[in-house]
Every structure is written in C-alpha cells, then in structure tokens.
Amino acid sequence: MKCGIVGLPNVGKSTLFNCLSNAKAQSANFPFCTIEPNVGVITVPDERLIRLGELCQPQRGVIPTTVEIVDIAGLVKGASKGEGLGNKFLANIRETDAIIHVLRCFDDDNVVHVDGTVDPIRDKEVIEAELQLKDLETVEARIQKTEKQAKAGGDKQAKLTLELLLRYQQALSQGLSARTVELNNKEEEEAAKDLFLLTNKPVMYVCNVDEASAVKGNKYVEAVKQAVAQENAQVLVLAAKTEAEIAELETYEERQMFLEEIGLKESGVNRLIKAAYALLNLRTFLTAGSDEVRAWTFRQGWKAPQCAGVIHTDFEKGFIRAEVIKYDDYISLGGEAACRAAGKLGVEGKDYIVQDGDIMHFLFNV
C-alpha cells in the first residue's frame, strides 16, 4: 500500500519525505529537483509494541509494521496536457492508493514560490484542477467505449458503468473531484475501483508551516480548513523544516526535549505516518510471545482467515480457528496465561471480524 506525497514545487515535499524515511531525496530551492519518485518504507509508530516488548521480553525483539511513502515530482499548471513533468507525475500518482497533499503555509523570502506569492488555496486548486482534467479525459474516453457495449449487447454491467461514468463526467465538468460522487451499492463501488480515477483516491492535506505556527497554526492553515470543510478530508499541521532538525537529533530523549520546548507532545512525522496508515484504511493486529512481538497490517473489515493469510498463505488455506486476546486485557492481566485463566481469551471462527489491536494466535492444518 502506497501513499503519494504531492504538491507544487518548493512546498516542502522532499524535506518532509526525508524526515519520514531518512532517505536522501534531493531537496533544493528550485522546481523539479525530484524527477524520479523516491520511495521510502516507513515504520508505523505504535506505542502498544513497546508495552508488549517490555512484558514479553522477546528473544528476536519487536517488529513494527510499515507503509510505503512515495515522493512525487512537483506538479505545475498544465500537467494534464504534459506541461513540466506532467505525464510522469500523473503516472506516478495513479500507482498510489492515497494522496498526502502538501500545501505551503509559511512566508520565507529565501524560498521562491513557483507562482510568486504564498496562497495555499490557489495551490490546492491548481493541483486539483489538473487531476480533475486528467480524470475527465479518462472518463470521456471510457464513455465512448462503454456506450457501444451498453447499446449493442444489453450488457447490464456496461449499463451500470455507463451511468456511473456520466455522473463522474457531470461532477468533473463542474470542477468537483470524483470522490464527491456518492456510490449507491457494492456494484458501483467495484465499477469505480476499475476506473482508477486520480480524484477518487482518499486525500489528506498537510499544512507545512514555520516553527512558530507548529502548535496553533496560522492564517493560511485556517484558510485551508475552511476550504476543505465540505470534503470530509483530514488537515494535519507540521513544520517540515523543524521536523528535519528533530530528525537530526541522535537520541529519543533529545527529540522529546526539543518537542516539549516548542509545545508538542508528539512529532508531526509520527502523527503523519499514523494518519497516512488510517487514510489507507489499514489497521494492525499483533502477535506476542517469548520469540517475538510483531505488528501485522490488515484492511479494516477483514475476517480472521484473511488476517491469518497476512502471516502465511498456509494459515489462511488451512484455517481452523483464531485465539484472540484484547490488548488492554493482555496488558492489565500481564500476559497470555493470565488471560486464559481469567477467561479473557476468545476462540473465534471464520466469520470473526478482526479489530485493531487484537492479539492473535491462529490454529491451522494444511
């Protein structure tokens, strides 16, 4: 699962990416310094793993889960027609599952803005317009193809897809993103997935501010919050330059002291990774024992056999049952044996919907 970091040139994308992955994406004061998308595999912070590690003292240690973050070249106006690195940008963003849209919300005469002035709402609209134009092009091409199928053979699926395409066409023609179109049933949801529209991807707006605005935001942040109020999208505030300074510090204690000095409990990078994980509709189940403590990624709504398959395909094929302990019970009672004795270990079958934080043990037979 991948999150793509997008934005206009010089808004702080590569600085943020470097903080996230400690990769060495080139970060420079001119457009298009990121030409190939940089991919970072990011550890997902999870305080529960620390507690479980302390309790189990595993021989092989504690293994967190990860998520992929892709730093994509800065977009400019006209990208949908191939301007700048437009085609490359659009191809790269199509391969991601969700979008982290970075907006410049700071004044700095030393960092040039591609349009001359700082205006995060205009920047947001530039990128959205380009994505919408590309989606409109995609939708109109599919309408021509699907119309023939719907008329010629009385194909029910083609008719359903055509109706959906026409609704997307109407929304996109009005400057609205595809995600604003309501889907009425599972069939429409499946048809929508097959279209791979850029503006159907879930989005989170990251307001890149100066250090003084890292806690309470500023006028630019307030403008962004008002502009996206109807989108049901998350807005996250962080100071990428400050985060870069925090990332340079060697110890956890030093980083925490720095954060406390500027009035933050947790780094913006940690908050962003957790939010990106949730944006992808991902959750975590856990395994814990004397060998290792480990976090495993699954999609919200998955059942026990699917989650077993995350560990190994044989676990899913030969699934018999799952033993489940709730994290809070495991910690408060002090481990698996105490949970068994207290009747806090549940035995679940194939229809059990796994919850975030469940401590799982799968029984299988192949």
Side-chain angles (χ1 to χ4, degrees):
M1 300 295 290
K2 292 182 185 176
C3 265
I5 302 180
V6 305
L8 290 182
N10 294 356
V11 297
K13 299 186 313 303
S14 295
T15 304
L16 180 58
F17 177 82
N18 287 340
C19 298
L20 286 166
S21 66
N22 293 326
K24 297 292 177 251
Q26 184 186 3
S27 180
N29 185 20
F30 55 87
F32 308 134
C33 67
T34 310
I35 296 172
E36 293 299 327
N38 294 278
V39 180
V41 179
I42 315 299
T43 297
V44 178
D46 194 332
E47 293 77 9
R48 295 173 300 196
L49 289 175
I50 298 167
R51 299 286 304 280
L52 288 170
E54 290 167 352
L55 195 60
C56 297
Q57 296 291 310
Q59 289 178 1
R60 291 205 297 265
V62 175
I63 304 168
T65 190
T66 58
V67 64
E68 267 190 24
I69 305 281
V70 187
D71 178 25
I72 296 170
L75 182 79
V76 293
K77 200 168 186 177
S80 58
K81 303 298 178 192
E83 292 292 324
L85 294 166
N87 291 330
K88 206 173 190 72
F89 172 97
L90 295 163
N92 290 333
I93 198 172
R94 201 177 292 284
E95 292 170 9
T96 66
D97 302 288
I99 297 169
I100 298 169
H101 189 158
V102 182
L103 296 167
R104 177 172 169 176
C105 294
F106 64 90
D107 294 306
D108 186 341
D109 293 339
N110 295 318
V111 181
V112 297
H113 191 290
V114 72
D115 286 326
T117 56
V118 176
D119 184 346
I121 308 308
R122 177 200 58 211
D123 296 354
K124 169 186 174 295
E125 288 170 354
V126 165
I127 286 197
E128 282 186 347
E130 294 304 324
L131 299 182
Q132 287 163 7
L133 285 167
K134 196 66 185 176
D135 276 350
L136 187 58
E137 188 183 297
T138 302
V139 164
E140 289 180 340
R142 285 293 295 268
I143 285 173
Q144 286 186 342
K145 183 181 171 185
T146 312
E147 263 182 334
K148 291 173 186 173
Q149 293 172 331
K151 286 175 183 174
D155 185 333
K156 281 186 180 178
Q157 185 59 42
K159 284 182 180 177
L160 181 143
T161 304
L162 179 60
E163 286 174 14
L164 182 59
L165 284 164
L166 291 170
R167 276 155 49 205
Y168 279 138
Q169 183 186 39
Q170 185 179 12
L172 292 161
S173 299
Q174 293 171 355
L176 299 171
S177 293
R179 73 180 72 88
T180 63
V181 173
E182 284 190 28
L183 303 176
N184 299 319
N185 49 49
K186 280 267 175 75
E187 289 78 10
E188 286 192 349
E189 286 174 17
E190 289 302 316
K193 278 182 198 170
D194 291 342
L195 296 172
F196 299 104
L197 297 179
L198 302 171
T199 62
N200 234 350
K201 298 177 187 292
V203 64
M204 170 171 56
Y205 296 100
V206 173
C207 295
N208 183 15
V209 299
D210 52 47
E211 186 176 309
S213 307
V215 178
K216 295 184 178 177
N218 56 30
K219 63 181 181 182
Y220 297 127
V221 174
E222 290 310 308
V224 170
K225 285 180 178 176
Q226 285 183 25
V228 306
Q230 302 304 314
E231 289 187 37
N232 196 24
Q234 189 173 349
V235 176
L236 192 138
V237 179
L238 59 75
K241 193 175 175 184
T242 305
E243 294 289 331
E245 291 171 15
I246 294 170
E248 294 284 318
L249 299 173
E250 289 185 10
T251 68
Y252 173 79
E253 288 73 19
E254 285 177 309
R255 291 193 288 271
Q256 286 305 114
M257 280 177 63
F258 192 124
L259 287 169
E260 284 170 20
E261 281 173 20
I262 60 174
L264 292 171
K265 290 181 181 176
E266 185 179 26
S267 76
V269 162
N270 271 15
R271 287 185 287 117
L272 176 57
I273 297 168
K274 289 177 183 177
Y277 193 69
L279 188 69
L280 290 165
N281 207 23
L282 301 178
R283 300 293 181 268
T284 303
F285 73 86
L286 307 158
T287 52
S290 57
D291 275 353
E292 70 176 23
V293 167
R294 186 162 182 163
W296 304 86
T297 297
F298 71 100
R299 273 191 177 279
Q300 185 174 6
W302 276 14
K303 294 181 179 178
Q306 289 172 288
C307 288
V310 173
I311 298 176
H312 198 288
T313 52
D314 284 351
F315 284 27
E316 183 172 6
K317 286 177 192 170
F319 179 88
I320 299 170
R321 64 181 181 272
E323 294 179 343
V324 184
I325 303 172
K326 297 300 175 186
Y327 169 78
D328 288 343
D329 291 334
Y330 198 100
I331 295 298
S332 62
L333 293 171
E336 183 180 325
C339 288
R340 280 184 188 274
K344 293 292 185 182
L345 183 147
V347 177
E348 304 291 352
K350 292 182 177 181
D351 291 331
Y352 176 69
I353 297 171
V354 178
Q355 304 299 307
D356 184 67
D358 278 353
I359 297 172
M360 311 286 293
H361 176 65
F362 298 105
L363 288 86
F364 70 102
N365 183 27
V366 176

